[in-house]
Amino acid sequence: MKNDPIPFSPWNLTEPPMRWSLDDGLINGVIAAAVWSVGQRPGVWGKMMIALDNGVRNMEENTLDAFFFQAMVDRLLEEFHMLYPD
């Protein structure tokens, strides 16, 4: 079912190999989806790029990959805390 937890054995968990770079297609897709979600109109793409640049500059790592990776982690944690509040 849709909301059933994903079955796993806690004894089989391992640290996955990490790849800290994101595919350009994913990054372009995220930016395009953000632009479409606020509505395409003159100047939105440029303003979105300024917002993205601002977000990247506020990251300790100062990279686009780190910015999007952290956004994904934040979203996952938001969902987790909605399902399993302290």
Side-chain angles (χ1 to χ4, degrees):
M1 301 302 157
K2 183 180 179 202
N3 292 324
D4 288 345
I6 299 171
F8 70 93
S9 169
W11 313 116
N12 294 330
L13 293 179
T14 60
E15 186 74 25
M18 296 297 289
R19 194 178 105 204
W20 293 100
S21 62
L22 302 176
D23 180 78
D24 286 346
L26 174 64
I27 292 170
N28 290 336
V30 169
I31 295 167
V35 168
W36 279 98
S37 72
V38 298
Q40 276 198 318
R41 54 189 184 274
V44 170
W45 190 272
K47 290 175 183 175
M48 193 66 68
M49 298 310 293
I50 291 169
L52 180 58
D53 182 62
N54 187 60
V56 168
R57 289 176 188 269
N58 289 325
M59 296 293 299
E60 183 177 322
E61 297 85 358
N62 204 26
T63 68
L64 187 65
D65 289 340
F67 177 77
F68 280 121
F69 188 85
Q70 188 60 53
M72 290 186 286
V73 170
D74 291 345
R75 179 62 186 97
L76 176 57
L77 289 172
E78 178 184 325
E79 192 68 27
F80 175 81
H81 290 298
M82 283 181 5
L83 291 172
Y84 307 103
D86 290 336

